[in-house]
């Protein structure tokens, strides 16, 4: 099971997407339970994955170190903006399986949304992690908004050569920042996805599997005849988030949503809180459900853009799936002929907090 652990509600940035720190009465800035409470909560789970999250998790690096020292049988993941990467000693970085660094693509896009010089500092952090030879999968975690050009931004991150995988999430449903979402979908996102799929397929012919997470997730399901989990991030059934006050919630975004509350680590154990939230209609009857999984539990419950807005985002998911279906037969042949290693298509190897469907 995946445990997304808030180490603090505080953040050292104030990105346009979320505005920075959580109010301390919603997500306290200090952890209000002990590592022993956490250990007792997950006792009996034979394959725990612990993902450090915030706020900015490295603002509380001493808690991270205590958890990694005392629950050393877990897999470790961190989602960080990377600015405080040196706050954690090298020996801890060596213990991570996955490190997700928040970066939106090109310098001007990242710095517009995240702040002055952030791009430079994240790239420096990624290069430093490579220089110390961490074994972790280093993932660029992009937020895609109106100034993003999915093709230009993903291609840019690929060209830096420091990220093993690239994942993106659309800044939709909870965001009211869009001026003209429809035009952006038609003129920017859809052509960009098409161009990226072309790029992916051209590389595959030469045996190179580019680490674009949404493509890998859908192609894996198509090629190995699997289904995506619902929702693909596992929220509420195989993944939970633990707030600094000990509350256990289905999705780390849903800190103040009643529907997301599942229990707390003082009174419950891990078996009590999983499997409690599901996606229903219209997703379960949707012909894309096996390859989409209902996309996002939070968006499914909240629908801030109404049903029409929900459907607009669906149309982007369906477009990407349809375009990937067009190349899946060719990719299968490349795999059967030994040009592509099947293992490289089995991504992610475990729930590493990439939500798979943007
Ligand atoms: S495409 Fe939309 S309706 Fe269909 S499964 Fe995905 S989120 Fe649900
Ligand atoms: S994809 Fe949606 S439900 Fe899943 S973790 Fe992200 S916001 Fe929460």
């Amino acid at each position: 099971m995946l445990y997304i652990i808030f180490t603090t509600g505080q953040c050292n940035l104030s990105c346009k997407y979320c505005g920075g720190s959580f109010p301390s009465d919603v997500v306290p800035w200090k952890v209000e339970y002990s590592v022993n409470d956490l250990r007792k909560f997950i006792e009996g789970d034979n394959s725990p994955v612990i993902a450090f999250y915030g706020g900015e998790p490295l603002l509380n690096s001493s808690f991270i170190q205590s958890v990694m020292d005392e629950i050393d049988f877990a897999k470790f993941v961190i989602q960080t903006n990377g600015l405080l990467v040196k706050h954690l000693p090298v020996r801890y970085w060596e213990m991570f399986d996955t490190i997700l660094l928040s970066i939106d693509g090109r310098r001007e896009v990242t710095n517009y949304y995240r702040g002055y010089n952030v791009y430079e500092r994240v790239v420096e952090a990624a290069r430093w992690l490579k220089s110390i030879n961490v074994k972790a999968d280093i993932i660029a975690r992009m937020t895609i908004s109106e100034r993003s050009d999915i093709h230009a931004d993903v291609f840019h991150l690929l060209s830096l050569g420091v990220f093993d995988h690239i994942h993106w999430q659309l800044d939709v449903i909870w965001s009211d920042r869009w001026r003209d979402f429809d035009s952006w979908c038609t003129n920017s996102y859809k052509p960009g996805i098409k161009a990226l799929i072309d790029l992916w397929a051209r590389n595959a012919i030469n045996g190179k599997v580019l680490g674009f997470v949404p493509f890998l997730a859908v192609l894996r399901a198509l090629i190995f005849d699997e289904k995506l989990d619902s929702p693909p991030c596992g929220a509420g059934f195989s993944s939970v988030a633990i707030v600094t006050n000990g509350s256990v919630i289905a999705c780390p975004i849903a800190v103040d949503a009643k529907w997301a509350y599942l229990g707390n680590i003082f009174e419950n154990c891990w078996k009590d809180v999983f499997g409690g939230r599901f996606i229903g209609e219209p997703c379960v009857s949707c012909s894309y459900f096996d390859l989409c999984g209902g996309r996002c539990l939070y968006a499914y419950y909240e629908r801030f853009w109404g049903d029409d807005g929900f459907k607009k985002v669906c149309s982007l998911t369906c477009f990407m799936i349809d375009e990937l279906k067009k190349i899946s037969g060719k990719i299968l042949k490349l795999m059967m002929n030994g040009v592509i290693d099947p293992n490289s298509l089995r991504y992610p190897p475990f729930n590493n907090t990439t939500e798979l469907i943007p």
Side-chain angles (χ1 to χ4, degrees):
M1 298 299 181
L2 170 62
Y3 306 85
I4 298 174
I5 309 275
F6 284 81
T7 70
T8 175
Q10 189 182 13
C11 193
N12 54 344
L13 288 178
S14 186
C15 303
K16 286 190 163 60
Y17 315 109
C18 69
S21 305
F22 286 102
S24 57
D25 56 332
V26 179
V27 180
W29 292 8
K30 290 203 165 75
V31 178
E32 296 175 350
Y33 58 86
S34 68
V35 177
N36 202 34
D37 292 330
L38 178 63
R39 203 211 334 236
K40 274 198 208 145
F41 178 74
I42 68 173
E43 210 161 54
D45 180 350
N46 294 327
S47 50
V49 179
I50 290 180
F52 298 107
Y53 190 89
E56 168 46 52
L58 290 171
L59 284 170
N60 191 358
S61 81
S62 60
F63 183 73
I64 295 176
Q65 292 175 49
S66 302
V67 171
M68 294 178 86
D69 286 339
E70 292 182 39
I71 310 182
D72 57 359
F73 51 93
K75 285 189 192 305
F76 293 111
V77 174
I78 187 168
Q79 286 199 14
T80 171
N81 62 36
L83 270 61
L84 304 176
V85 80
K86 302 258 173 85
H87 279 209
L88 200 60
V90 167
R91 74 182 183 88
Y92 290 95
W93 285 116
E94 288 169 346
M95 291 164 70
F96 278 99
D97 290 275
T98 307
I99 299 168
L100 298 105
L101 295 171
S102 301
I103 183 168
D104 299 332
R106 294 162 296 165
R107 176 184 283 112
E108 61 271 27
V109 176
T110 302
N111 288 350
Y112 172 75
Y113 286 112
R114 295 185 183 269
Y116 174 73
N117 220 26
V118 170
Y119 168 91
E120 288 79 356
R121 295 179 68 186
V122 183
V123 173
E124 191 186 322
R127 291 196 171 124
W128 180 74
L129 288 166
K130 281 281 174 202
S131 76
I132 61 168
N133 287 324
V134 291
K135 68 166 194 278
D137 180 13
I138 299 182
I139 304 177
R141 193 175 193 288
M142 307 168 73
T143 302
I144 298 300
S145 206
E146 199 155 16
R147 289 203 181 195
S148 309
D149 173 328
I150 189 71
H151 179 253
D153 287 309
V154 170
F155 190 76
H156 174 76
L157 294 180
L158 179 70
S159 69
L160 291 177
V162 285
F163 297 108
D164 302 303
H165 289 90
I166 297 171
H167 181 55
W168 61 92
Q169 278 298 102
L170 297 167
D171 177 28
V172 290
I173 301 292
W174 53 81
S175 168
D176 56 5
R177 278 173 297 279
W178 294 85
R179 284 166 302 141
D180 190 350
F181 182 65
D182 294 349
S183 299
W184 178 84
C185 293
T186 308
N187 301 326
S188 178
Y189 189 70
K190 286 183 177 176
I193 288 293
K194 219 168 152 51
L196 283 176
I197 292 174
D198 280 351
L199 175 73
W200 198 94
R202 273 186 273 122
N203 276 272
I205 290 168
N206 298 318
K208 190 163 184 204
V209 172
L210 299 180
F212 301 165
V213 176
F215 297 176
L216 290 171
V218 173
L219 285 169
R220 171 184 181 160
L222 285 167
I223 286 168
F224 300 108
D225 202 17
E226 296 173 358
K227 290 179 184 174
L228 259 68
D229 287 339
S230 173
C233 61
F237 81 91
S238 64
S239 158
V240 294
I242 301 174
V243 185
T244 38
N245 60 12
S247 296
V248 181
I249 56 177
C251 152
I253 304 291
V255 288
D256 50 6
K258 284 207 177 79
W259 60 261
Y261 183 79
L262 300 169
N264 69 74
I265 69 163
F266 308 109
E267 292 163 354
N268 299 106
C269 75
W270 68 280
K271 284 186 189 156
D272 299 335
V273 296
F274 287 102
R277 294 291 176 274
F278 297 98
I279 281 183
E281 296 294 355
C283 297
V284 288
S285 302
C286 170
S287 59
Y288 289 86
F289 185 59
D290 288 353
L291 297 170
C292 166
R295 187 177 163 263
C296 165
L297 188 74
Y298 185 81
Y300 179 81
Y301 270 88
E302 296 292 347
R303 312 260 178 124
F304 291 143
W305 287 9
D307 286 347
D308 283 352
F310 186 85
K311 282 182 196 149
K312 282 182 186 181
V313 180
C314 292
S315 77
L316 298 183
T317 304
C318 299
F319 178 84
M320 183 184 81
I321 290 172
D322 286 340
E323 291 299 314
L324 288 166
K325 277 183 182 167
K326 290 180 192 166
I327 64 161
S328 63
K330 194 160 48 175
I331 304 306
L332 178 63
K333 267 192 208 145
L334 289 169
M335 192 184 82
M336 306 290 267
N337 293 337
V339 179
I340 292 180
D341 174 3
N343 290 326
S344 62
L345 292 171
R346 290 196 179 276
Y347 189 88
F350 64 95
N351 188 342
N352 60 10
T353 75
T354 50
E355 303 92 336
L356 308 184
I357 296 295

